[in-house]
Amino acid sequence: MANINLLKDDKQKSSNENNAQRQDALKELFNYEDFSMTNPPAYFPQAAKAEWKRLLPILKKDFPMSETDYGNFVAYCLAFARIKQSEHEIKKYGTFQNNKDGSKRENPAVRTQSRAMHDLKAASTALGMTMVERQKMALNKAKAEPEKDPFAELMNDE
């Protein structure tokens, strides 16, 4: 189960009640219908299908993936495929192309790739897949864990 702090309060130490609320909120993340699709959609290009098959087991293991994440995951896989296809086009035809009058213009695949990279970043952020998002979750996990009371062990030994 991923440790996600939804009720973050940086200004004061968390009480037991706040920690309980955070734990309840975390459990609620897993109450949504599980992400049931194991196979990528038929309309996906091959690169998107391969990315779906590579990434879905990793995400389902580490994150509370649900049906509500479907759109972001589709967007991520399609953006990944567009980046790969655009890179193929750029390698094949170059970053710049010659116009009929001899002037140069940017290969349209460069712009397509740039938009796809933007889309991929947005989808990966929404899914908690970026390093920054993972660091936030790790930090929130550390904050949500109750502090150990050094005297608790002494009291329990009696």
Side-chain angles (χ1 to χ4, degrees):
M1 181 184 305
N3 288 290
I4 302 169
N5 183 354
L6 297 177
L7 303 171
K8 185 175 159 185
D9 186 1
D10 290 334
K11 293 185 170 97
Q12 58 185 336
K13 289 203 175 228
S14 297
S15 67
N16 287 339
E17 183 178 339
N18 284 343
N19 284 334
Q21 287 176 336
R22 284 189 188 97
Q23 292 303 315
D24 289 344
L26 178 59
K27 288 176 188 170
E28 282 298 314
L29 285 175
F30 290 88
N31 284 338
Y32 289 98
E33 187 175 339
D34 189 31
F35 195 86
S36 59
M37 288 188 66
T38 55
N39 294 319
Y43 63 86
F44 267 19
Q46 189 56 43
K49 287 179 182 180
E51 184 66 358
W52 176 288
K53 290 176 184 176
R54 182 190 75 81
L55 199 54
L56 185 60
I58 296 167
L59 288 175
K60 287 182 86 169
K61 179 178 88 84
D62 293 337
F63 300 100
M65 291 284 289
S66 73
E67 290 296 326
T68 60
D69 298 310
Y70 177 78
N72 282 320
F73 191 53
V74 166
Y76 175 89
C77 293
L78 289 173
F80 180 86
R82 282 195 315 271
I83 290 167
K84 191 172 180 179
Q85 178 63 35
S86 297
E87 186 60 29
H88 174 74
E89 294 291 318
I90 294 166
K91 282 183 178 179
K92 186 174 181 180
Y93 299 109
T95 304
F96 296 97
Q97 298 175 336
N98 292 325
N99 290 324
K100 291 180 183 178
D101 66 359
S103 63
K104 291 199 175 249
R105 67 179 170 90
E106 184 178 71
N107 183 337
V110 172
R111 186 170 295 133
T112 300
Q113 186 181 52
S114 179
R115 281 191 301 245
M117 287 178 176
H118 177 78
D119 294 346
L120 183 117
K121 183 177 184 232
S124 62
T125 298
L127 291 168
M129 294 168 42
T130 66
M131 187 178 296
V132 170
E133 295 302 314
R134 291 191 314 268
Q135 286 174 341
K136 285 179 186 176
M137 284 190 271
L139 180 61
N140 287 336
K141 175 185 174 187
K143 287 181 181 178
E145 290 176 357
E147 291 183 30
K148 290 189 177 183
D149 183 0
F151 299 107
E153 285 183 32
L154 294 172
M155 299 301 287
N156 288 338
D157 286 342
E158 293 179 7

